[in-house]
Amino acid sequence: GLRDTLSTALTTMGLMGGAFIFIDTGEDDTVDILNKTSKSGEIKRSLRFQVIDPIFTTPQGFNASDPLAEDFYKPSVFFIMGKTVHRSRLIRFVENEVPDLLKPSYNFFGIPQSQLLSDYVTHFRKNREEVNTLLHKFSTSFIKTNLKTQLFQGQSWGPVSDRVKFFAKYRDNQGVGLLDKEAEDFVQVNTPITGLTDIVRQSLEFVVSVNQSGVVKTLGYTPNGFSSGESDVKLQADLIATRQEKILRKPIEEILKLLQLHLFGDIDQTLTF
């Protein structure tokens, strides 16, 4: 079940900025450092991996006074819903690290991918809604008539309102518009809608590009300026490989060593992937 466990950890990291995988050996006392050598008896007896949502974790304390120390802004012990757990029993997943000064604000994890996407998603939704609103009223009709008494003499707008309602009642593709021959005129103003599709499409592509998920895979069409989607697919594959090396290699290496200790009692350094 490690594939599902890692997938859950990565999803939680994207939503919350980070995640822990708890190395569960069945021991109740988790405050001590986990022995990850061939002399470790608890790893040989039992081994299970469990994803911990960062909302349930908080550091017991951290060194914020000595930047030259190895544990500077790196908590060694965490509280997980009141239970004390040593850092060696947790496998940390973080992609978007923050400067040390901001780490307490982010609970010693990173910036969530969802937070990076939030601004672009908001802009896309706003653009889409504005275009829908514009399409609803892109054409505006004007009746040129005498409004002197209403504008300057304080007369009632009732007759004007009735006139507009009367005009709108009979004016459609199957009706007839009626205007006074001498005192009225009719004008229709249309708002240009050319380019609105490109604006909405580009704002959606910004969301995809920031997420590095690929236009072809995510949206199902070829991005503008490309004759085919092959370049986009290749770029996405390269980005995935880079993120795998950045995020997954160290956790997987540690998990494989723990599995060897549990199954065989020793670590074979020649085993790799």
Side-chain angles (χ1 to χ4, degrees):
L2 275 176
R3 180 184 291 246
D4 292 336
T5 300
L6 291 171
S7 177
T8 302
L10 292 175
T11 302
T12 305
M13 178 191 71
L15 292 172
M16 305 291 292
F20 280 134
I21 287 184
F22 174 55
I23 305 170
D24 186 5
T25 60
E27 293 290 327
D28 293 330
D29 186 9
T30 55
V31 69
D32 295 329
I33 298 176
L34 178 62
N35 185 357
K36 300 178 182 179
T37 68
S38 58
K39 298 180 180 181
S40 175
E42 58 177 303
I43 293 180
K44 295 178 183 178
R45 288 192 298 270
S46 175
L47 184 64
R48 187 175 68 92
F49 299 98
Q50 179 181 352
V51 178
I52 306 297
D53 194 308
I55 197 67
F56 304 123
T57 69
T58 185
Q60 185 187 59
F62 59 93
N63 170 25
S65 59
D66 185 7
L68 300 179
E70 185 178 355
D71 64 344
F72 185 64
Y73 275 91
K74 294 179 181 178
S76 57
V77 178
F78 286 85
F79 289 123
I80 300 180
M81 291 295 285
K83 187 173 183 178
T84 307
V85 180
H86 192 270
R87 172 69 178 81
S88 61
R89 298 176 182 271
L90 299 169
I91 301 176
R92 182 173 179 266
F93 285 79
V94 172
E95 180 177 13
N96 305 313
E97 292 279 5
V98 297
D100 288 339
L101 193 62
L102 295 178
K103 285 182 179 178
S105 301
Y106 284 87
N107 201 22
F108 291 87
F109 289 100
I111 302 176
Q113 191 70 11
S114 56
Q115 182 180 349
L116 296 177
L117 287 171
S118 175
D119 187 47
Y120 295 91
V121 172
T122 301
H123 288 167
F124 164 67
R125 291 182 58 186
K126 185 176 181 180
N127 289 343
R128 180 175 56 83
E129 291 169 359
E130 291 292 340
V131 168
N132 287 336
T133 302
L134 183 60
L135 291 176
H136 181 66
K137 56 178 182 180
F138 79 98
S139 179
T140 306
S141 301
F142 295 89
I143 299 177
K144 296 181 179 181
T145 187
N146 187 0
L147 301 177
K148 183 186 297 185
T149 56
Q150 282 77 21
L151 292 175
F152 304 112
Q153 298 176 12
Q155 296 296 320
S156 173
W157 285 88
V160 177
S161 178
D162 293 339
R163 176 70 185 93
V164 173
K165 291 178 181 178
F166 180 80
F167 179 83
K169 180 179 180 180
Y170 293 100
R171 175 189 168 268
D172 59 31
N173 291 334
Q174 304 298 326
V176 178
L178 299 176
L179 292 173
D180 186 275
K181 181 178 180 181
E182 302 294 337
E184 293 183 329
D185 193 7
F186 175 77
V187 177
Q188 189 173 43
V189 178
N190 295 329
T191 302
I193 59 175
T194 305
L196 293 182
T197 303
D198 295 333
I199 293 175
V200 176
R201 177 172 175 167
Q202 190 175 53
S203 63
L204 179 57
E205 290 176 358
F206 279 146
V207 177
V208 177
S209 63
V210 172
N211 200 45
Q212 297 183 344
S213 53
V215 175
V216 174
K217 290 284 188 179
T218 306
L219 304 181
Y221 62 75
T222 303
N224 291 332
F226 290 88
S227 57
S228 68
E230 294 180 4
S231 300
D232 186 65
V233 173
K234 184 179 184 302
L235 175 61
Q236 184 185 10
D238 293 341
L239 290 172
I240 289 174
T242 301
R243 296 176 74 184
Q244 286 175 331
E245 289 294 323
K246 177 183 176 182
I247 305 168
L248 281 174
R249 174 165 288 277
K250 287 185 178 181
I252 289 179
E253 286 178 345
E254 183 172 359
I255 287 173
L256 290 180
K257 290 178 181 179
L258 292 170
L259 287 173
Q260 290 185 66
L261 290 175
H262 175 64
L263 295 173
F264 313 123
D266 200 0
I267 297 175
D268 187 350
Q269 300 295 342
T270 63
L271 286 180
T272 183
F273 64 94

